[in-house]
Amino acid sequence: MTPEDLLIRENKAPDGRPTAAPGEETAAVEIGLNAAIVSMICGEPQILTVSTDSGANGDSPPALPFGLFTPRKHRTLEIGLRDWVKDQTGADLGYVEQLYTFGDRGRHAHPGDEGMHVVSIGYLALTRNEEARAGGGAHWSAWYRHLPWEDWRNGKPQILTQEIEPRLEEWAHRRESAGTPRRPLARRDRLRMCFGQSVPWDDEKVLDRYELLYEAGLIAEAARDGRDAARAWSDLPQLGRPMMFDHRRILATAMSRLRGKLKYRPVIFELMSETFTLLDLQRVVEAILGSYLHKQNFRRLVENAGLVELTGQQVSRTGGRPARLYRFRKSVLLERPAPGFRVRVQNIARTNSGA
């Protein structure tokens, strides 16, 4: 008898198929694969989405590329992901990393949902602008269109002060209903921590903020999934563009991961052209972090960290001096374990636009 035999008890029908023990359910789970594919297009971080609308109105929310893992066809999960993305969008993925496993029962909620439960494995993928070719019904969508409260490059977003924070304060003061899961922190404390009211705004808490908005019933997905908190509100504005199933949650997870990772790994260069100016690099880092960075401090940080090297070429800019071109210095990966951008975020409005 193997160790697995000791750990797994399985009842079988006469034909050999597994059956449930009395009072138990049979496992009915499929494995799905989702990709949050990010590229910089027209100076903005964009994600690749696919249409899920089968009707003529075209009003269904967009989805991240997704498909089921078929182990007889795909030797690994990543191979399956790459095949699905290629089939749905025509894109050949470069940099890919696994994010998280999403298994909530309500993630594919619809009335009378009794079908197979789908546990989805989310991935983050990065592609350069010149490689970003949407096709086969796929489209690029600015990620701040879906999560607009995350973009602080021009100061604190009005959607926070005018729409989100007042409603979250109201929700935080409401009496919690019976059966609410016990949490280490009270609602008001989580609000202040996630939305930068008692501590500085943390650009990496994207997922925490999204889940707090969902818990408070303030976003469209909560109403769609029939959450009790959503029924307490009326005349809610649309807070960002919703997505199919829990794909906006997957996007929030990808944004959190990328914002955190670029500070200790040079993944940002997966989004850069082969050569670039330091201003180009700063703008991409700012766009991902959603925050303004001090120009001189950023340049000193990049040069002192040895992340880039001069190409010996320059590019002309309208109304200014020619700018020097740089490229990623790949040998930095062999020199130290965590080469990244140790940036200090400043959530203030930009006051200069010098080249």
Side-chain angles (χ1 to χ4, degrees), residues 18-219:
T19 62
E24 295 180 353
E25 294 182 352
T26 56
V29 175
E30 291 180 325
I31 298 177
L33 306 169
N34 292 85
I37 306 168
V38 183
S39 186
M40 288 296 300
I41 301 175
C42 299
E44 292 296 320
Q46 311 250 353
I47 57 163
L48 195 58
T49 63
V50 293
S51 174
T52 58
D53 189 68
S54 58
N57 296 329
D59 56 356
S60 291
L64 299 176
F66 64 96
L68 294 177
F69 174 60
T70 52
R72 292 185 179 179
K73 180 180 178 183
H74 305 127
R75 182 173 55 85
T76 68
L77 295 167
E78 186 175 317
I79 290 174
L81 177 82
R82 291 177 182 275
D83 281 356
W84 273 113
V85 170
K86 178 71 173 178
D87 181 62
Q88 292 182 6
T89 71
D92 285 310
L93 295 181
Y95 177 91
V96 172
E97 70 169 87
Q98 192 175 123
L99 281 174
Y100 190 73
T101 300
F102 302 85
D104 294 355
R105 177 59 183 167
R107 64 186 309 273
H108 284 194
H110 58 79
D113 178 17
E114 296 181 354
M116 186 79 74
H117 181 50
V118 179
V119 173
S120 187
I121 300 173
Y123 286 81
L124 168 66
L126 307 178
T127 184
R128 293 181 175 87
N129 182 291
E130 58 267 24
E131 300 169 348
R133 299 287 185 268
H139 305 278
W140 290 103
S141 177
W143 74 2
Y144 289 125
R145 185 181 180 189
H146 301 280
L147 303 165
W149 53 87
E150 294 294 336
D151 187 3
W152 286 63
R153 284 173 293 174
N154 293 308
K156 187 174 182 178
Q158 289 187 353
I159 194 172
L160 277 173
T161 55
Q162 296 179 2
E163 305 291 351
I164 292 176
E165 290 177 343
R167 289 180 171 86
L168 282 177
E169 286 285 356
E170 179 182 341
W171 168 76
H173 284 83
R174 289 178 183 170
R175 186 185 182 90
E176 295 190 16
S177 59
T180 300
R182 182 180 178 183
R183 298 178 183 273
L185 294 176
R187 287 178 175 180
R188 292 186 65 187
D189 293 330
R190 287 187 287 137
L191 163 59
R192 278 149 179 69
M193 183 179 66
C194 291
F195 285 84
Q197 296 180 346
S198 60
V199 294
W201 177 273
D202 187 343
D203 58 278
E204 295 181 38
K205 289 189 179 297
V206 187
L207 179 60
D208 302 76
R209 286 186 282 272
Y210 174 82
E211 292 189 331
L212 197 64
L213 290 170
Y214 183 94
E215 182 185 343
L218 293 176
I219 52 177

Side-chain angles (χ1 to χ4, degrees), residues 193-263:
M193 183 179 66
C194 291
F195 285 84
Q197 296 180 346
S198 60
V199 294
W201 177 273
D202 187 343
D203 58 278
E204 295 181 38
K205 289 189 179 297
V206 187
L207 179 60
D208 302 76
R209 286 186 282 272
Y210 174 82
E211 292 189 331
L212 197 64
L213 290 170
Y214 183 94
E215 182 185 343
L218 293 176
I219 52 177
E221 288 89 338
R224 177 204 64 196
D225 295 347
R227 298 298 180 250
D228 291 338
R231 300 189 184 101
W233 302 101
S234 60
D235 300 323
L236 277 178
Q238 181 169 286
L239 302 180
R241 189 183 186 194
M243 302 186 76
M244 183 66 69
F245 304 138
D246 60 349
H247 290 193
R248 191 155 52 147
R249 184 187 180 204
I250 298 175
L251 171 60
T253 308
M255 189 183 295
S256 294
R257 173 72 62 85
L258 184 53
R259 283 180 169 183
K261 193 152 192 172
L262 68 83
K263 298 171 186 175

Side-chain angles (χ1 to χ4, degrees), residues 281-327:
L281 181 60
Q282 180 179 340
R283 293 292 182 260
V284 172
V285 174
E286 288 178 333
I288 296 299
L289 294 178
S291 300
Y292 165 69
L293 301 174
H294 188 274
K295 180 179 176 182
Q296 284 71 33
N297 290 347
F298 178 81
R299 294 190 173 210
R300 281 195 295 269
L301 183 152
V302 172
E303 292 173 342
N304 293 340
L307 295 171
V308 299
E309 60 187 7
L310 285 165
T311 66
Q313 300 175 312
Q314 294 183 328
V315 62
S316 298
R317 292 191 179 277
T318 304
R321 295 179 300 174
R324 294 184 294 180
L325 287 173
Y326 293 77
R327 60 174 165 253

Side-chain angles (χ1 to χ4, degrees), residues 272-285:
M272 302 297 301
S273 299
E274 187 67 26
T275 61
F276 46 83
T277 68
L278 289 184
L279 183 61
D280 294 334
L281 181 60
Q282 180 179 340
R283 293 292 182 260
V284 172
V285 174

